[in-house]
Amino acid sequence: MSEHHEIERTFGPVPTDLELPDLVGVGGVAALGEAQESLLEATYVDTDDLRLVRAGITLRRRTGGADEGWHLKLPAGEGRDEVHAPLGRRADHVPVALRRLVLARTRGAELAPVAAVVTRRTTTDLLDDRGQRLAEVADDRVEGRALGEGGTDRHTAWREWEVELVDGDPGLLDAVEEHLRASDVGRSPVQRKVVHVLGERAAPAEALPEPEWAGPAARVLHARLLDLVETLQRHDVAIRRGDPEGVHRARIACRRMRTALATFRPLVEREVTDPLREELKWLGRELAPARDAHVARDHLLQRLDEQPRAALEGPVRRRVRRELDADARDGLRAARAALESERYLALVDRLVDLASAPPWTATARRKARKRLPRRVRKDVARLLDRLAAAEAATGDGRDEAWHSARKAAKRLRYTAEALEPAAGKPARRLRKAAKRVTSALGARQDTVVAREQLLRLAALAREHGESDFTYGLLVGQEQARAAQAERDALAARARVEKRRDDWG
């Protein structure tokens, strides 16, 4: 397979007899390349209920043109990441690698053709004064036919222009758009051909009303759940593509969902949500090793960079890189294996169902400003109690006590995040106060993980006849950092106490 990131814009509808305006002089374009014509035939594949298309994902098999093959397009930043796979021998067989990348969306549902599109394309390169390709303009005359249940009688035809960046700056697209507007051709309201063909069937679910503090409490939680389930599915793809940052983001989504289901548990039926909280906890544990090894590696390498040369005895940096890189690779393999499991797919199915139609209790119909402040006060009290317990802890239980306080701080922070769209400034202030505590205790927890790794690495060094001096030095420094982080967390406590008064 191969990948690239595409940034493009589609303009239309374009009248059939309108010539493409001259783009020389627009946004640094100095010349045009020779026009090339091609015939592209594409079959778009999706589930019966269009789970991919509705999520902004395109999966198609296309013949013709220089990049014929299977194309999977995933929303990413300003554009889309496009993953290519060869055509293969069977036209109806989606490559396994592409199936796996969208498994969190399809959740094992059958993939079948949903649209067929034939495009007669004329492409022209936009070149700079050195002959470098800035962008490619495609003049497309398109015929589309919807396939599958409910779509066999729908045929459409239209013309559009696509401009895709190659080596140009995104500002070029703005300049081209302004120039085309002079010909009464603006940006198309539909940016994907498959959506054009499928019409209303491809429309995303109707957006929920914005949560309001004077509105029902259910609306606050519902918006949060929809956002977090979508986030988990999006970062699932990043994990499958081997991105450690995807692991981190997916873990955060799991924590936020667990917080939402715990703090707002009076709003939904607990026989549904309590088991989901346990399954989310399981998933978080499966994702943890990959992220923890990655963080520990970066943390220790930074600490080593801060040491004077005389303090580095033996191949310390090489050992840190080798061991923790291996741990991170093993952790990522384990995380990807977890995403292939039936247990995980069942969890995603249940989360999608929950977010689509939460089993509300009668309490959920009450006004948010009447019902939710007491939940906030409980989360504040939990954090303050655990900070006091951590401050008083001694001996072997100190690390666990501070870690427990950190979890309470995260819970309060995520609760405030969930309330912010409805409650506004009081929730924002509380979130910021809780974030200060979370950041300090996160720094402390990093020292705990670092010390554990340093002791392990020191033992390995001794086994290989290497000095363990530097590891011991770093352990002492991490202990000092932990003490400072504790002081920072306790200093931030006053801000949380101050914000508590905003909630009655």
Side-chain angles (χ1 to χ4, degrees), residues 9 16 31 69 104 117 151 177 182 204 265 330 374 396 412 451 476:
R9 291 183 193 172
T16 57
V117 173
E177 181 168 348
R265 59 180 175 267
D330 291 344
R374 73 183 67 179
D396 294 340
L412 179 59
R451 280 179 276 158

Side-chain angles (χ1 to χ4, degrees), residues 144-147 150-156 195-200:
R145 178 167 57 93
L147 307 174
T152 53
D153 295 329
R154 179 179 170 84
H155 292 71
T156 53
V195 174
H196 201 133
V197 173
L198 294 174
E200 292 183 358

Side-chain angles (χ1 to χ4, degrees), residues 124-139:
T124 306
D125 288 338
L126 305 183
L127 310 175
D128 66 11
D129 54 8
R130 295 174 300 174
Q132 298 295 312
R133 297 176 69 211
L134 299 175
E136 178 185 86
V137 178
D139 185 348

Side-chain angles (χ1 to χ4, degrees), residues 63-76:
T63 58
D67 63 344
E68 68 176 8
W70 283 95
H71 303 163
L72 173 63
K73 298 190 177 188
L74 304 160

Side-chain angles (χ1 to χ4, degrees), residues 391-432:
E391 187 178 15
T394 59
D396 294 340
R398 292 190 76 252
D399 286 343
E400 181 55 38
W402 283 107
H403 186 47
S404 180
R406 178 185 178 228
K407 289 189 286 187
K410 282 186 175 182
R411 176 165 170 168
L412 179 59
R413 176 184 171 185
Y414 296 154
T415 295
E417 280 181 356
L419 294 176
E420 196 169 337
K425 185 181 292 185
R428 183 165 59 253
R429 288 173 172 171
L430 181 61
R431 171 181 56 79
K432 290 180 178 180

Side-chain angles (χ1 to χ4, degrees), residues 252-280:
I252 291 175
C254 289
R255 292 191 193 113
R256 284 176 166 144
M257 275 189 277
R258 288 176 59 202
T259 290
L261 298 179
T263 295
F264 304 126
R265 59 180 175 267
L267 306 186
V268 284
E269 298 293 345
R270 292 188 61 177
E271 60 266 25
V272 174
T273 59
D274 282 358
L276 282 176
R277 287 170 58 195
E278 289 302 312
E279 288 300 278
L280 286 166

